[in-house]
Every structure is written in C-alpha cells, then in structure tokens.
Amino acid sequence: MRMSKGRVGRHLLGLAVAGLTLATGSAAFAELGQPAPWEWTLQQSGSPVMDNIVWFHNFLFVLIALITLFVLALLVVVVIKFNARANPVPSRTTHNTLIEVAWTLVPVLILVGISVPSFRLLFLELDVPKADLTIKATGKQWYWSYAYPDNGKFEFDSLMAQDKQPRLLGVDNEMVVPVNKVIRVQVTGADVIHAFALPAFGVKIDAIPGRLNETWFKAAKTGMFYGQCSELCGKDHAFMPIAIRVVEDKEFASWVETAKKKFASGGTGTYASAAGPTQ
C-alpha cells in the first residue's frame, strides 16, 4: 500500500508527538526514588543535599543557555555585518582596550559566580553533620552488606531479587532508615572497588578495599529509594542494586528489634515490614 508524501509526513508527525507525549508523561508520573522510562531530568529529590544539587544544575543550565545565545548572536552579527559584500574595506583596528578588559573580566566574574554555590554544595556534601544513625555499607562481588553498629551490631546481606520490582533494583533485604534523621553511611569494599550511589539523595561515593569513606543523607520523605553500584566492578556489576526503605520512627524501632534477632548470627533472611513482605 502506497502513501502520499502528505500522509507520510502526517504519519511521522503523529509518531513524533506520540513519542514526546510518552516521554513527558512517563517522566511526569515517575515514582519517587526510582528511574522512569524516557526520563530526561534528574530524579525527584528526596533529601536536602539533592535539593541543592537540583538547584545548582538548573542555575548552570540557565547560565550556559544565556552564554550560548550571546555567542550565537555575536556570530550572526559578524556573519551579516562583516562579510566581504557588506564590508568590502575591512577595519585595520588591532586592539580595543575596553573590549579586551571586558572579555577578560566578564568570564572571571562568571566563574566566581559559579564557584560560590559550587563550593557551598561541596561543603554540604562532604561535611557530615552529627549523625542520628550510622550504617556501614560493604560492597562485595556482587552484593551489599549492611551493618548497624549503633543498634546492636547486627549485619545482613542485600542481594538482588529476580522476582521483585522494579526490575534489577529490587532486593531481598533493604536498608531501613528513619525519616528526617541524619544517616551517616560508612562505605568500604571487601574485594574490588565498588561505588555506593543513590540519585534521589544526591549520594555517590567509592567503596574501596582497605579504606573507609563516609557520606550522609537525610531522607525527607518515607518510601522506597533505589540506587546501584556505579563503579565497573566485574561481570555482575549491573546486578548489585541498593534499596533503602525510609520509615517512621516507630516502624524503624520495631524493625530494629526484629532485625537484632533475625540477623544476630549473620543470617540473610528477609524482614516483613508494615508495608508488606520483601520476599
């Protein structure tokens, strides 16, 4: 069946509009704490650090757009005003003090303007405040182990669960933390270099064998938040997700009492929370 050029054009336009609708719709209805199909923005923020990262990203985007438009405008002016036809006798000006000072000073001021919020954000990420809870995360080939030294020193493994959603992110045992509390995460590796990364919290730090790094987050909302190892660590690198369940204080206290018994001897069983079983 042959189609006219007009019908082909309308058909392609319809496909493009449908694709755009799907992309924006999927991003708009993305669940908190996990990626979405066709997502083209940063994940929805779940912590104060990520709020600042989103603000800084948007600030830089606007600044870069303005600079790009300004340079484009200059190029258009040069092409139109100073081509051979419009300007057959070229200027023999060798320098202009005002312009030379401006194109040196303005970029310096722009970089200073960028550096101030940049350093402030770095300080916010790296300066760990007084922690309400400390958790040790150990990257292994290829799963994570979590220890709670402040709550009875129990430890458990967290492995990807094939039958859980979201795909490649669901685990058998989630890290559980209370909402609106400063969580200090001490990160290390047991074998090779891994990376503990959770986009919604603005967290990404290397897990290096023989070294103890630390980061922090303060979850502002309850729910499930997902991340992954972000360092190429071997053949199953893509299958060691990070799942953090943020709960209210009472549920966290209840979980701790159950976990002390369940994981006291290094068991890896699952915990059934108030929100439902994890396996």
Side-chain angles (χ1 to χ4, degrees):
M1 179 178 176
R2 299 180 63 183
M3 298 175 65
S4 66
K5 292 183 178 180
R7 291 182 63 187
V8 171
R10 289 193 296 271
H11 181 67
L12 292 176
L13 179 61
L15 289 176
V17 172
L20 181 60
T21 303
L22 176 63
T24 55
S26 297
F29 294 102
E31 292 187 43
L32 178 66
Q34 60 181 281
W38 295 88
E39 189 171 30
W40 54 276
T41 61
L42 298 175
Q43 276 193 28
Q44 185 179 347
S45 173
S47 74
V49 170
M50 190 60 188
D51 287 339
N52 280 270
I53 292 174
V54 171
W55 178 89
F56 188 57
H57 168 271
N58 294 339
F59 165 70
L60 286 182
F61 179 80
V62 171
L63 186 62
I64 291 169
L66 292 175
I67 293 173
T68 302
L69 292 175
F70 175 71
V71 173
L72 178 62
L74 289 180
L75 289 174
V76 171
V77 169
V78 169
V79 169
I80 295 175
K81 189 174 180 180
F82 297 103
N83 62 71
R85 181 181 301 174
N87 190 40
V89 181
S91 171
R92 295 186 177 275
T93 302
T94 57
H95 67 277
N96 185 297
T97 303
L98 179 61
I99 292 178
E100 291 176 359
V101 170
W103 72 35
T104 302
L105 188 60
V106 171
V108 170
L109 294 177
I110 291 174
L111 292 176
V112 171
I114 293 174
S115 68
V116 172
S118 174
F119 290 144
R120 186 177 59 199
L121 177 57
L122 284 174
F123 183 79
L124 179 64
E125 292 177 329
L126 298 176
D127 183 48
V128 181
K130 183 179 179 181
D132 299 304
L133 175 66
T134 298
I135 298 174
K136 183 179 180 182
T138 304
K140 301 178 179 179
Q141 292 178 311
W142 282 271
Y143 58 94
W144 293 92
S145 292
Y146 301 120
Y148 286 67
D150 295 342
N151 302 94
K153 299 182 180 180
F154 60 88
E155 184 175 358
F156 59 90
D157 297 334
S158 179
L159 288 81
M160 188 182 74
Q162 296 285 353
D163 58 342
K164 293 195 63 178
Q165 295 296 325
R167 180 177 176 271
L168 299 181
L169 293 176
V171 299
D172 55 358
N173 297 306
E174 303 117 355
M175 178 197 294
V176 181
V177 300
V179 69
N180 291 321
K181 294 292 191 295
V182 176
I183 312 299
R184 176 173 58 191
V185 184
Q186 296 179 329
V187 183
T188 189
D191 31 53
V192 297
I193 298 177
H194 302 277
F196 186 87
L198 207 82
F201 292 159
V203 169
K204 184 179 184 296
I205 191 166
D206 285 342
I208 303 173
R211 177 172 177 175
L212 193 66
N213 289 333
E214 67 176 14
T215 185
W216 73 282
F217 64 85
K218 183 179 180 181
K221 305 170 185 176
T222 59
M224 283 298 305
F225 297 84
Y226 296 96
Q228 288 178 303
C229 173
S230 295
E231 187 71 50
L232 293 175
C233 58
K235 72 179 185 68
D236 286 337
H237 157 71
F239 308 106
M240 51 182 302
I242 299 164
I244 299 180
R245 181 183 295 277
V246 182
V247 299
E248 298 291 345
D249 290 346
K250 289 184 178 180
E251 186 176 352
F252 177 72
S254 176
W255 177 84
V256 166
E257 294 306 313
T258 304
K260 283 179 182 179
K261 301 174 183 177
K262 185 169 226 175
F263 303 122
S265 59
T268 59
T270 58
Y271 163 69
S273 69
T278 61
Q279 183 172 358

